[in-house]
Amino acid sequence: MAPSPLEARRRKASDPAPGSAPPPQADPLEPLAGVASEVLTAATRRVARRWRDEIGDPSDPETIAGLLAALALAVDRRSPGYVAELVPRPSPVLWHRLVEMLRSELVRGWLEVPAAPATILGTLSALEQVRQAIEGDAAQQLASPLIGTNGFELLVEVVHDLRSPLTSILFLAETLQRGQSGSVNDLQRRQLGLIYSAALGLNSLVSDAIELARGGDELADPEPSPLSITELLDSVRSIVHPMAEEKGLAIRLVPPKVDQRVGHAVPLSRVLLNLTSNAIRFTDTGFVEIACKETAPSRVEFSVRDSGAGINPEALAALFRPFRRTVGRRGYAFSGTGLGLAICRKLVRAMGTELRLETRAQWGTRFFFELELPPAVAG
């Protein structure tokens, strides 16, 4: 059978000129058994030669040849599994490189010998399916170490590594913003406020992530102890003050009549900080109020209210979900706001009550819960 025009042109280009050096050794790529497309076969062989002559990668030529053969067969047969199920699995970077080289050589082949549009589109579509299968396999390889006990330990290590630099950023940004290291102009003060807000958001996010991984319902201080509600509210306000100042929001505090109580200071502070940070994030003008009100001699209602636009009724069903489906993306997306609220609900339940909310358009949103906090007995 006579060679195809593309194969004849390739042979002519590879024939040595009179008096020239002998041709290089044959490609390591064996004949592509099962691949019907001559264009695909020729493009794959060109990739093998380019890899050998141009890339200079130390990878075993036979390994590259085997990968290219599997890649060509997967495209020709419209079966991405030929590459996604290879054992051992090559690195995603190597796969990506080979796919892109094959794509460029296919286009080069069609420029030399035009093909029917349906053939071109079908081949490129098959190559794209193979690329997606490779990326999906790469994502699975990346996720596998994050599953189970080892994944939890890795998460803990990452979070701990993040906390230290984030705390430093918060401290330095606040110090600079207050002018303790020298005068700053209005623009610099605003920029420092943005840095502080971003770092505080990240710090809260990593803390919530580790809390959720642990279950989110374990109290850091299992036994109740004396606490000052006024000091707790002042601490929350001081942490979020740069965020509120950057947005021009007022932080209102309404302390209870009886300040010294017995309760769980750590989770209570965590819940109020999360709720206040969220309120500031979704309020453009006005105020955020942290209030305490005695409902009985031993019971106190805590609330965080903002003067924002209120929550869309359609969003209420997914408000406490840490992972939410998003339009235009597969699977679930990580929601920082939902994660924080999910942790708040778990911690409030661990303290023996429920987190509730009320929201109205142009009135704002108010999260509230009631706790048993007996007055502390003076020692």
Side-chain angles (χ1 to χ4, degrees):
M1 184 177 66
S4 66
L6 176 61
E7 185 66 16
R9 191 172 304 179
R10 188 189 67 80
R11 291 178 182 175
K12 182 176 181 180
S14 61
D15 288 342
S20 64
Q25 294 182 350
D27 293 334
L29 194 68
E30 295 295 329
L32 299 179
V35 178
S37 169
E38 292 184 354
V39 173
L40 182 57
T41 298
T44 306
R45 286 177 171 154
R46 285 198 299 272
V47 172
R49 286 198 298 273
R50 281 181 56 191
W51 190 274
R52 181 190 62 198
D53 300 336
E54 301 174 14
I55 303 300
D57 191 278
S59 302
D60 182 2
E62 293 184 1
T63 298
I64 298 299
L67 294 178
L68 285 171
L71 180 59
L73 194 61
V75 174
D76 190 69
R77 298 285 185 87
R78 309 296 195 265
S79 180
Y82 281 117
V83 296
E85 298 170 5
L86 280 181
V87 177
R89 295 171 177 169
S91 73
V93 174
L94 176 57
W95 266 135
H96 178 76
R97 204 170 191 182
L98 292 176
V99 168
E100 291 306 311
M101 290 177 70
L102 181 58
R103 189 195 309 275
S104 68
E105 290 301 332
L106 282 169
V107 172
R108 173 186 167 188
W110 287 319
L111 289 174
E112 293 179 353
V113 180
T119 300
I120 295 175
L121 291 176
T123 303
L124 291 178
S125 175
L127 186 60
E128 176 62 18
Q129 291 176 9
V130 170
R131 184 190 63 79
Q132 291 178 1
I134 292 170
E135 289 184 351
D137 180 65
Q140 184 177 2
Q141 291 184 54
L142 179 63
S144 60
L146 304 178
I147 299 173
T149 304
N150 292 336
F152 175 74
E153 292 175 353
L154 178 60
L155 176 60
V156 171
E157 291 180 9
V158 170
V159 169
H160 285 171
D161 287 345
L162 283 172
R163 273 181 175 160
S164 180
L166 285 172
T167 301
S168 299
I169 292 171
L170 288 170
F171 173 76
L172 292 172
E174 185 176 13
T175 299
L176 291 169
Q177 191 180 37
R178 293 178 183 275
Q180 294 175 249
S181 301
S183 60
V184 295
N185 59 41
D186 291 340
L187 176 59
Q188 291 169 332
R189 186 173 291 104
R190 175 176 172 77
Q191 291 170 338
L192 288 167
L194 293 172
I195 292 172
Y196 185 94
S197 300
L200 181 60
L202 288 174
N203 192 52
S204 299
L205 187 62
V206 294
S207 297
D208 291 340
I210 191 64
E211 193 74 39
L212 186 65
R214 286 173 172 161
D217 52 3
E218 295 184 5
L219 299 180
D221 46 355
E223 296 298 325
S225 59
L227 61 89
S228 167
I229 294 181
T230 301
E231 290 180 2
L232 190 150
L233 299 185
D234 285 339
S235 174
V236 171
R237 178 170 60 179
S238 67
I239 293 174
V240 301
H241 174 74
M243 287 180 63
E245 188 177 49
E246 187 272 325
K247 298 189 72 172
L249 300 175
I251 301 294
R252 300 178 181 174
L253 298 185
V254 182
K257 295 178 180 178
V258 179
D259 177 50
Q260 297 294 323
R261 298 275 179 169
V262 176
H264 301 277
V266 174
L268 179 55
S269 175
R270 178 72 178 281
V271 170
L272 292 176
L273 178 58
N274 270 5
L275 294 177
T276 306
S277 299
N278 278 349
I280 293 173
R281 189 175 298 120
F282 292 100
T283 304
D284 294 326
T285 60
F287 65 90
V288 171
E289 181 183 83
I290 314 171
C292 301
K293 179 179 67 174
E294 283 106 344
T295 58
S298 295
R299 293 190 69 80
V300 179
E301 180 192 82
F302 292 85
S303 65
V304 176
R305 186 204 157 182
D306 63 63
S307 59
I311 300 175
N312 189 325
E314 297 178 356
L316 289 175
L319 195 62
F320 292 92
R321 295 178 189 170
F323 303 96
R324 304 175 186 173
R325 284 200 175 275
T326 55
V327 179
R329 293 178 59 182
R330 293 180 294 175
Y332 285 84
F334 189 68
S335 168
T337 302
L339 179 58
L341 290 177
I343 294 300
C344 287
R345 171 179 276 182
K346 286 176 175 288
L347 290 176
V348 167
R349 284 178 175 172
M351 290 186 285
T353 187
E354 288 293 329
L355 179 62
R356 300 172 182 173
L357 73 94
E358 56 180 335
T359 183
R360 297 195 296 274
Q362 307 311 316
W363 175 83
T365 302
R366 177 176 175 263
F367 286 88
F368 61 99
F369 56 95
E370 196 173 322
L371 290 178
E372 187 74 22
L373 296 179
V377 179

